[in-house]
Amino acid sequence: MEIEPRVREILSTVGRVPEAATAPADADLYDLGLSSHATVNVILGLEDAFDIEFPDEQMRREVFASVASIVETVGSLTEDA
Amino acid sequence: MTTTPEALTAALVEHGHQIPLGFAGLVGRGPEFESIIDGIRRRYFAAEDPAKEIRRMTFPPLIPAASFLKTDYLTNFPQLTAQVNVFEGQDKEHRQLIREVEDGEDWHHHFTPSGLMQVPATCENVYPLYAGVLEGEHRVEASSWCLRFEPSDDPLRMVCFRISEQVYLGTEQGAIAHRDEWFANALAMFDDFQLPIDSGRASDPFFGRAGRILANGQLQEGLKHEVRVQLFEDRQTAIASGNLHQTHFAENFGITRPDGSLAHTSCVGFGVERVAIALLVVHGMSTAAWPAGVRGALGL
């Protein structure tokens, strides 16, 4: 599965950040309106979609601050799987 | 000056401040303890600025489920949540219920959700009252019993306890100023009470793995400031907190400003019993022997 399009889709629907569909990969998602509560839903959505589990040390705001960062983290977790 | 939960419980019971009710975290209180509670509230609310309009509200320990769900408390703290279940059957089911109780069987299936939840934080009953367009700034002095289901033998961790708060609804700058003003008022009060305290950023016990991100975000953004007291060797206990909610409650309850933007809210509250118990630990189990300055601040 292509990681980036799926990540963008989850951000724009579950994360309620429509701009995430087209924003630059390094754009700050919190500046685009991603709330802390929506971040939790994004995490759960990503875990379901990619059948992964974010380790505790990845449960940081920075990890979910941009499309690029999320794609990189999801990529490393799906490689492990 | 530190004690242990066991020694503190024994002292509180011996001096009539605490009446065990046979369930961890559920206790009654004696008259001297209640006079401390009244004094704490009086001292805190005395800091209210007469030039500002402040509505005074006292709430029951319950909240309609529909309002409760809008607070997101169930998402964030399901482990502390409790709902009220009631019996709505007729004669036949009543007989069956009593028979099951008498036979020692499971009878709880006769009870169904009432549409009421136990309120875990006093200000949750305030926000629904302001749904709609908010003209200007609003300040509320609020008190209630609260319930958080975390039974414990630590006498500072009660299942049912009282919170008093100063709540604000209005602008972003106003919400920050309110939090800072009332947090400073709380610190001044604890200074009057001669309590050794410590304060700083804090996070709430958000549930689950994903909750860590909420806790980290809260810490990083400095949304929660806490006052802590050390009564036990191995831990500090929070006795007050100041919270910036940003637009969280305004969004969920539909509270907007005249220009259409979402309102900001903040609150500063304290656990009244915890403050009273801290006073008893620090100054002794008999209020008559407390320093004159402390007694004066409490109006004792």
Side-chain angles (χ1 to χ4, degrees):
Chain A
M1 177 175 12
E2 272 285 332
I3 293 176
E4 184 164 331
R6 193 82 181 91
V7 165
R8 287 182 181 275
E9 184 194 331
I10 289 169
L11 281 166
S12 42
T13 54
V14 183
R16 291 186 288 173
V17 183
E19 295 89 339
T22 52
D26 60 352
D28 188 318
L29 294 168
Y30 299 112
D31 286 347
L32 293 178
L34 181 63
S35 72
S36 295
H37 286 89
T39 307
V40 171
N41 295 330
V42 167
I43 292 171
L44 300 175
L46 291 166
E47 291 191 338
D48 279 351
F50 295 103
D51 194 21
I52 53 173
E53 194 167 291
F54 290 99
D56 280 353
E57 63 268 21
Q58 304 282 19
M59 290 291 189
R60 290 176 289 120
R61 275 172 66 82
E62 303 87 87
V63 171
F64 303 93
S66 70
V67 170
S69 169
I70 296 173
V71 169
E72 187 191 328
T73 307
V74 170
S76 69
L77 292 171
T78 46
E79 274 169 28
D80 294 347
Chain B
M1 196 174 28
T2 54
T3 178
T4 63
E6 297 75 23
L8 177 53
T9 299
L12 290 168
V13 171
E14 184 191 335
H15 290 83
H17 300 312
Q18 184 158 314
I19 304 155
L21 294 176
F23 193 98
L26 193 70
V27 297
R29 299 296 180 190
E32 194 178 0
F33 191 91
E34 287 304 296
S35 70
I36 305 170
I37 296 277
D38 293 343
I40 295 165
R41 283 185 170 149
R42 218 165 25 232
R43 168 61 188 80
Y44 188 60
F45 294 150
E48 289 174 0
D49 178 355
K52 290 175 182 159
E53 190 189 330
I54 300 176
R55 285 181 73 188
R56 298 185 171 80
M57 302 182 187
T58 305
F59 297 112
L62 302 173
I63 182 171
S67 297
F68 177 79
L69 292 176
K70 286 186 185 170
T71 66
D72 280 339
Y73 198 90
L74 194 58
T75 311
N76 296 334
F77 313 103
Q79 77 278 25
L80 303 177
T81 300
Q83 71 172 357
V84 179
N85 285 356
V86 292
F87 177 76
E88 293 179 296
Q90 299 301 318
D91 280 338
K92 189 178 166 205
E93 199 183 0
H94 179 230
R95 282 194 297 277
Q96 200 183 340
L97 164 67
I98 298 304
R99 195 160 49 238
E100 286 170 10
V101 171
E102 287 171 351
D103 293 347
E105 289 171 20
D106 177 16
W107 47 271
H108 300 91
H109 58 98
H110 292 290
F111 280 71
T112 50
S114 61
L116 291 170
M117 306 295 291
Q118 303 278 1
V119 78
T122 302
C123 61
E124 292 191 351
N125 265 316
V126 172
Y127 307 114
L129 306 175
Y130 288 90
V133 179
L134 198 67
E135 300 284 349
E137 300 178 297
H138 292 262
R139 295 176 174 81
V140 179
E141 171 204 300
S143 293
S144 81
W145 284 91
C146 294
L147 183 140
R148 294 180 195 173
F149 195 73
E150 42 182 354
S152 165
D153 290 327
D154 176 352
L156 292 166
R157 197 167 290 285
M158 291 146 273
V159 165
C160 203
F161 55 95
R162 284 163 278 189
I163 290 178
S164 282
E165 294 192 48
Q166 292 283 342
V167 185
Y168 171 93
L169 308 93
T171 65
E172 180 173 12
Q173 294 81 356
I176 295 169
H178 175 89
R179 198 273 300 265
D180 292 347
E181 176 193 340
W182 278 98
F183 199 74
N185 286 342
L187 292 176
M189 173 174 82
F190 295 133
D191 196 39
D192 277 3
F193 292 168
Q194 299 176 32
L195 291 176
I197 51 151
D198 168 39
S199 68
R201 290 187 177 196
S203 62
D204 285 311
F206 291 103
F207 183 76
R209 291 172 46 249
R212 290 185 64 157
I213 199 119
L214 289 175
N216 289 339
Q218 199 181 25
L219 269 178
Q220 278 174 4
E221 293 185 68
L223 299 180
K224 186 180 193 71
H225 287 187
E226 221 169 50
V227 181
R228 299 174 281 256
V229 66
Q230 180 137 19
L231 302 181
F232 306 131
E233 188 100 337
D234 61 341
R235 76 196 96 144
Q236 291 190 315
T237 303
I239 53 175
S241 73
N243 304 283
L244 298 179
H245 316 124
Q246 299 177 317
T247 56
H248 176 232
F249 289 124
E251 187 176 355
N252 291 3
F253 286 101
I255 309 169
T256 55
R257 306 195 53 239
D259 67 4
S261 65
L262 287 170
H264 280 247
T265 63
S266 64
C267 70
V268 181
F270 58 93
V272 197
E273 284 89 350
R274 284 188 172 183
V275 179
I277 293 171
L279 283 161
L280 288 162
V281 172
V282 172
H283 300 304
M285 287 291 147
S286 171
T287 55
W290 286 5
V294 177
R295 289 180 55 85
L298 288 159
L300 292 175

